[in-house]
Amino acid sequence: MSAPVRIGILFGGPSAEHEVSCASALGVARALAGGGYRTVAIGVTRSGGFRLLPDALLAELRDRPAGARAIDDRLVVSGPSVELRAGPRPGVVQVCAGNAPGAVHAELDVVFPVLHGPFGEDGVVQGLLEALNVPYVGCGILASAVGMNKVAMKRALRAEGVPVTPYVAFDAHTYRAADDPEKLVVGLRRPLFVKPASMGSSIGISRVGEDDDLAAAVEEALRHDQLVMVEQGVTGRELECAVLGGWRPEASAVGEVRVAGGWFDYQQKYFGDSDPMIVPASLPDEVTARVRELSLRAFAAIGGWGLARVDFFYDETTGEVYVNELNTMPGFTAHSMYPKVWAAVGVAYREVVDRLVELARVRHAERPATPVGNAR
């Protein structure tokens, strides 16, 4: 009988989406617990340190009845300080507390980085895991970096002919040097959406209507990033589709987000009293097919692997469909859209997790080997 696959769940992190990551991680831990895996939870502090969540606490949190809202139901970053090191053989990483012989707490076969936002979703932790030569779930360094940066993402999508909403981008220096911020958005019609380039969960985003202050919205975005994107608002329905796979990825059912107040902000995403997600969305067959096709094209445009959630605007008056963005590590709680749109086509949460773990191992097995001592 083969030994169970040992999976390390990375969660938390320095980004403003720390709590969201902790909630997503609990969903993943619950799914892995039923799949015959040996799980180790490693919390990432807000300063970037690693903490080994005690097994007893992981079990207690994992077995606790689910809360009414995912954000209230999460793992916690706690436990002794540890570090990750390359294991004694390729494809294994060690969780260590020091250099003593008994310092190795666990050896991991796969790492599942359930990290949202900067550090976890932008290629940084993916680079660390590549250096440790261990299989990991989700997109690689380049796709993660492009997917995290909204400006780079839009450019990649445009280059591949994927329709996106009109936008402009500028950095903090350009903004400070401008005598009138309105000149930076010439050609765009209000309402506008002002966004930090590299942030998720609607953090730092402002809607700027006819009478709203553009400068205040830009200042808010600059609190989170030195690069700002301003998009022209689209009056339409917000649709979402999930992608799962490697060389031949698949697209899920299409879901819809029904929001109050004009857009899906952080408060509604995680603290709303009602579920705004409709799965499957009620759409003409040709629109559903178009969304699914564009999801796969967008995923290919950034070089995706494993998973992504692709968000859309659908303008019913014109019939146009626009890709808003990709999330290469979307929310992963039982309440999140990603598992819901897969469940709608008969793929349960646990099966999604199983497939992601296998995809991590497939990619690693196909990775070109670099002989030790010959790297230049």
Side-chain angles (χ1 to χ4, degrees):
M1 187 177 197
S2 60
V5 177
R6 301 162 298 182
I7 300 182
I9 304 172
L10 282 181
F11 68 97
S15 87
E17 297 178 81
H18 182 100
E19 284 80 11
V20 182
S21 171
C22 293
S24 291
L26 182 55
V28 171
R30 285 172 171 160
L32 290 171
Y37 303 101
R38 161 82 168 95
T39 56
V40 176
I42 304 164
V44 183
T45 68
R46 293 184 186 276
S47 60
F50 294 104
R51 299 287 184 271
L52 181 68
L53 186 67
D55 288 344
L57 181 54
L58 172 61
E60 189 275 323
L61 291 167
R62 190 181 58 213
D63 298 338
R64 181 183 296 172
R69 292 183 304 203
I71 201 71
D72 298 325
D73 197 15
R74 66 185 83 163
L75 297 185
V76 293
V77 177
S78 66
S81 177
V82 293
E83 61 181 54
L84 302 182
R85 299 179 189 163
R89 59 191 182 280
V92 173
V93 66
Q94 294 180 325
V95 183
C96 302
N99 295 315
V104 179
H105 284 287
E107 289 188 346
L108 308 175
D109 302 305
V110 178
V111 174
F112 202 132
V114 193
L115 292 157
H116 307 308
F119 182 85
E121 200 177 347
D122 58 358
V124 172
V125 80
Q126 287 76 15
L128 170 63
L129 298 173
E130 290 275 356
L132 293 172
N133 193 23
V134 63
Y136 61 92
V137 168
C139 288
I141 299 170
L142 179 60
S144 297
V146 173
M148 187 70 213
N149 187 291
K150 294 177 174 62
V151 178
M153 181 199 309
K154 294 279 190 184
R155 290 169 178 164
L157 296 178
R158 270 186 169 177
E160 296 298 323
V162 176
V164 298
T165 54
Y167 74 95
V168 298
F170 47 85
D171 57 30
H173 178 79
T174 301
Y175 171 71
R176 303 289 182 211
D179 56 356
D180 181 359
E182 294 290 344
K183 294 180 180 179
L184 299 175
V185 298
V186 169
L188 299 183
R189 300 189 307 274
R190 295 196 182 201
L192 304 171
F193 284 88
V194 181
K195 306 178 179 182
S198 296
M199 187 54 67
S201 293
S202 300
I203 293 170
I205 297 178
S206 302
R207 182 183 185 276
V208 180
E210 292 298 332
D211 299 322
D212 295 324
D213 184 2
L214 174 63
V218 173
E219 293 290 350
E220 172 60 20
L222 287 172
R223 289 180 58 238
H224 302 278
D225 200 329
Q226 291 296 295
L227 182 62
V228 173
M229 184 175 71
V230 182
E231 289 181 309
Q232 183 171 294
V234 173
T235 302
R237 297 165 65 180
E238 294 191 30
L239 309 177
E240 298 185 353
C241 185
V243 178
L244 174 65
W247 299 119
R248 293 181 175 83
E250 302 173 67
S252 70
V254 179
E256 180 172 6
V257 179
R258 294 281 180 88
V259 300
W263 65 290
F264 199 26
D265 61 12
Y266 185 87
Q267 185 68 26
Q268 290 188 68
K269 283 184 178 180
Y270 302 111
F271 295 97
D273 294 324
S274 60
D275 186 354
M277 302 175 188
I278 300 169
V279 181
S282 179
L283 298 164
D285 290 344
E286 61 272 18
V287 175
T288 297
R290 175 71 167 156
V291 167
R292 298 179 75 241
E293 179 240 343
L294 285 174
S295 295
L296 296 176
R297 285 177 56 191
F299 192 65
I302 69 164
W305 183 275
L307 78 161
R309 193 193 70 230
V310 189
D311 300 346
F312 293 83
F313 294 122
Y314 168 45
D315 187 340
E316 290 184 288
T317 60
T318 64
E320 294 293 332
V321 175
Y322 304 94
V323 173
N324 180 33
E325 65 180 27
L326 291 89
N327 289 274
T328 56
M329 186 50 72
F332 230 95
T333 73
H335 302 270
S336 299
M337 182 66 92
Y338 190 89
K340 285 186 176 183
V341 288
W342 280 117
V345 291
V347 183
Y349 192 118
R350 186 172 298 166
E351 182 180 348
V352 170
V353 170
D354 285 339
R355 288 171 65 176
L356 288 171
V357 170
E358 180 57 24
L359 283 163
R361 303 184 84 180
V362 166
R363 176 178 55 191
H364 188 267
E366 296 180 355
R367 178 184 178 186
T370 301
V372 176
N374 290 337
R376 291 280 187 254

